[in-house]
Amino acid sequence: MLTRLSIRNIVLIDALDLAFGRGLGVLTGETGAGKSILLDALGLVLGDRADSALVRGGEDKASVTASFEFAALPVAIAETLDEADIEIEPGEPLIIRRQLKADGGSKAFINDQPVGVALLREIAPALVELHGQHDDRGLVNPRGHRALLDRYAGNDVEGLASAWRDWRAAEDRLAAARAEVEQAKADQDLLLAHLAELTALEPQAGEEARLAETRASMQKGEKLSGDLQELRHLWEGSDSPLASLRVAARRLDRIAGEHALLAEALAALDRALVEAGEAEDRLNAAAEALEYDPAALDAAETRLFELRALARKHRCEVDDLPERMREMRRALDAIEGGEAALDALELAAKEAGAAYRSRAEAAHEARLKAAKALDQAVAAELAPLKLDAARFLTAIGKLPEDKWGPAGIDSVEFLIATNPGADFAPLNKIASGGELSRFILALKVALAEQGGAATVIFDEIDRGVGGAVASAIGERLARLADGGQLLAVTHSPQVAARGGTHYLIAKSSEGTVTKTSVMLLDAAGRQEEIARMLSGAEVTPEARAQADRLLEGV
């Protein structure tokens, strides 16, 4: 509930600090005293548009701070703040501050953490419910009527919403699978052609490097083939240098024992023969490695070029071609497997849709039953509020399937008819603002046990009525405020007498400076203010006596 409201430099208010408690709080004062300024200031912390005209003349900025306290933070507020990364400790008050500049612009804070004004507007409905002469929110707005009726009916709205999400998720999965199968079918012929082309070539991992190396070697062999042939010719045959060395070694071997130097010469010659043999082996190996075969070179180049052309076609590396083949095979397999999976997905979507329809139909029946009870409850409140000729109707209509949603298959709107024989019309279409406020009061009383905002404010709900009707309004406001918090801006002494707390709004002038102030009245102050409301400018003893009777009667 709202516990404190601090206002600085708003219109006629230079500095004001108000404390509020539970129950019914009434705000009274002469016309033009500045009651609307309080509501405008509160509207700022609830996300209303920042108007620089609200900044008090001569000041460069203004601010409004509102504190709300809860036994447990409402779920709607907690979830919204959590999404915005605003941390509120358990038991910590929710403090909203709004600053305005005279040259335009504003800033908003929640517990000293900067936030956007849109966030204030998002949490406002759970904080304050304002009903005034021209209110287009709260109970007047048909967008909230279905939720109010569901709370009255005790419908499992979360279960219904969950069933809706399950159904839509199942339908989305089915639609995605169908799209994939259709796309795969459209690509099937192309996939088959590409796969046949790749299969015919059968690329292997690492093949490009091997072919490139083979091609390079053959090209070197082609270039060196003449030199290698001449070298092999020099090395081979009976007249080759190596053959001559071997003959010399055999002859030297026969005479090496005759002298030590001959033995050393033979050893050196043997080493030369070993080195020469190794050179011959290397020469033969090189000749084989660089062997040039025009047909083999042509085949290697042709395959290398084909592999690279396919890689460019499929926008990948040559070594990735085997994986591309596997992907194509998987895609083709998915066409067959996807069609089989569609049957299971269709069944799941059908079952989810049936589950949703079952819950939605149950919610529909519960709404019809609750609508009759609500209509009767509201009707019982109309006569005491001088609306005995009026009628109230909870209109429920079934939506077309394309309009179904997490809230079900129904549209719900509260309608009224103010005169006998008149057609029912939306709440905000009736002519009289006073009638609208009283209709809202009757509806609030009927829905009193169904929760709502933490703080409810009625702005001049008693306009144009008095006597027994005003007493009936006061009694119902007090009943609504029991266990909660309700603030009423009123001109009716009967309503004011019902207040648990009473605030007097007054305007005063000192020279050219005009100020609005708010005072919490004690018992004597309450008597005097209610007497003023009864008698007018001059408070008479009779008015004070009547005020006492009103206060004693509650």
Side-chain angles (χ1 to χ4, degrees):
M1 68 174 185
L2 176 65
T3 55
R4 295 189 64 83
L5 182 65
S6 297
I7 303 172
R8 299 290 184 271
N9 300 324
I10 296 291
V11 193
L12 299 179
I13 299 174
D14 57 351
L16 180 62
D17 294 289
L18 292 175
F20 300 95
R22 290 189 175 277
L24 176 60
V26 296
L27 297 92
T28 65
E30 295 184 357
T31 300
K35 294 184 291 293
S36 63
I37 299 175
L38 286 177
L39 297 180
D40 289 341
L42 184 59
L44 287 174
V45 297
L46 299 176
D48 286 354
R49 185 179 67 85
D51 185 351
S52 59
L54 291 174
V55 180
R56 182 176 171 82
E59 302 293 338
D60 58 356
K61 62 181 179 179
S63 68
V64 182
T65 304
S67 297
F68 297 87
E69 295 184 15
F70 307 91
L73 198 64
V75 174
I77 297 177
E79 291 179 347
T80 302
L81 295 182
D82 184 61
E83 290 177 359
D85 291 328
I86 303 296
E87 296 182 1
I88 304 293
E89 296 295 330
E92 182 182 5
L94 179 67
I95 303 174
I96 303 176
R97 178 162 53 95
R98 186 88 179 272
Q99 293 180 339
L100 277 71
K101 292 184 178 180
D103 58 359
S106 71
K107 294 180 180 180
F109 304 85
I110 293 181
N111 287 42
D112 288 328
Q113 301 174 71
V115 299
V117 176
L119 181 63
L120 302 187
R121 286 194 289 268
E122 192 171 351
I123 65 175
L127 293 172
V128 176
E129 187 177 312
L130 175 62
H131 302 293
Q133 294 290 305
H134 306 289
D135 183 37
D136 60 352
R137 297 171 296 182
L139 298 182
V140 174
N141 194 329
R143 286 181 295 181
H145 292 176
R146 183 168 51 195
L148 288 169
L149 183 61
D150 280 335
R151 286 203 295 268
Y152 190 77
N155 272 334
D156 180 11
V157 292
E158 182 52 42
L160 179 59
S162 178
W164 161 261
R165 291 191 293 269
D166 290 344
W167 180 32
R168 296 324 308 161
E171 289 288 354
D172 289 344
R173 287 192 293 271
L174 176 59
R178 281 176 173 160
E180 288 178 3
V181 169
E182 289 303 316
Q183 184 61 48
K185 285 183 176 179
D187 296 340
Q188 187 175 25
D189 290 343
L190 184 61
L191 282 172
L192 288 170
H194 285 167
L195 185 59
E197 187 177 39
L198 285 167
T199 301
L201 199 58
E202 199 64 39
Q204 303 295 322
E207 186 176 9
E208 181 186 26
R210 292 193 300 272
L211 285 172
E213 184 179 354
T214 300
R215 174 171 173 261
S217 295
M218 287 188 177
Q219 287 175 333
K220 288 180 182 178
E222 180 181 16
K223 181 180 179 181
L224 300 175
S225 60
D227 292 333
L228 288 173
Q229 287 297 328
E230 289 182 7
L231 283 170
R232 293 183 72 176
H233 177 72
L234 289 173
W235 211 258
E236 295 176 352
S238 58
D239 57 347
S240 67
L242 184 57
S244 298
L245 283 175
R246 286 176 180 145
V247 170
R250 286 195 297 270
R251 288 182 180 180
L252 185 58
D253 181 58
R254 288 197 294 269
I255 62 174
E258 299 299 329
H259 196 278
L261 289 176
L262 293 175
E264 291 177 4
L266 178 61
L269 189 56
D270 287 341
R271 290 195 297 273
L273 284 171
V274 170
E275 292 292 336
E278 289 180 0
E280 183 182 29
D281 292 340
R282 298 292 189 278
L283 181 59
N284 291 330
E288 291 177 4
L290 296 172
E291 184 179 5
Y292 166 61
D293 182 349
L297 175 59
D298 183 63
E301 288 184 332
T302 299
R303 183 167 180 79
L304 184 61
F305 294 155
E306 287 177 345
L307 288 172
R308 288 176 173 173
L310 276 179
R312 288 193 299 272
K313 183 176 183 178
H314 294 286
R315 298 180 181 180
C316 67
E317 299 296 327
V318 171
D319 283 347
D320 294 331
L321 288 175
E323 178 58 28
R324 284 287 191 275
M325 292 176 63
R326 288 189 288 271
E327 289 175 359
M328 291 177 188
R329 290 191 179 107
R330 285 195 294 268
L332 290 169
D333 291 341
I335 297 175
E336 298 178 3
E339 291 180 342
L342 284 180
D343 294 337
L345 291 173
E346 286 173 352
L347 178 60
K350 182 178 180 180
E351 290 175 347
Y356 169 75
R357 289 183 179 87
S358 177
R359 281 185 176 271
E361 287 293 344
H364 171 74
E365 294 300 323
R367 286 168 181 160
L368 292 176
K369 183 178 179 180
K372 292 180 181 179
L374 181 59
D375 292 349
Q376 293 173 358
V378 173
E381 299 292 332
L382 295 180
L385 297 175
K386 202 178 177 180
L387 294 168
D388 46 307
R391 293 168 293 150
F392 177 85
L393 175 67
T394 304
I396 299 175
K398 279 199 170 184
L399 296 167
E401 187 170 340
D402 62 342
K403 299 294 184 181
W404 292 0
I409 60 177
D410 302 313
S411 64
V412 176
E413 185 172 8
F414 299 145
L415 304 176
I416 57 174
T418 56
N419 299 303
D423 292 333
F424 283 99
L427 286 175
N428 57 357
K429 298 299 182 182
I430 62 174
S432 167
E435 285 180 329
L436 174 60
S437 294
R438 279 176 278 146
F439 258 111
I440 289 173
L441 178 58
L443 187 54
K444 284 294 294 183
V445 171
L447 294 168
E449 300 302 320
Q450 306 310 316
T455 299
V456 179
I457 299 176
F458 278 95
D459 181 19
E460 299 187 4
I461 189 176
D462 47 24
R463 180 187 292 269
V465 299
V469 176
S471 294
I473 291 174
E475 187 274 330
R476 281 157 176 76
L477 289 174
R479 195 196 316 169
L480 277 177
D482 186 27
Q485 184 184 56
L486 190 148
L487 301 175
V489 178
T490 179
H491 291 287
S492 168
Q494 291 90 344
V495 173
R498 290 278 182 176
T501 52
H502 191 151
Y503 303 87
L504 174 62
I505 304 172
K507 184 165 64 175
S508 60
S509 297
E510 295 181 9
T512 60
V513 178
T514 301
K515 295 182 179 181
T516 290
S517 60
V518 182
M519 180 189 304
L520 177 62
L521 299 178
D522 57 14
R526 291 192 68 195
Q527 182 215 42
E528 192 69 13
E529 171 61 6
I530 292 174
R532 181 200 65 78
M533 297 172 73
L534 286 165
S535 63
E538 183 180 351
V539 179
T540 64
E542 291 80 6
R544 291 189 178 94
Q546 179 63 22
D548 286 339
R549 285 191 291 271
L550 283 176
L551 289 168
E552 292 170 359
V554 299

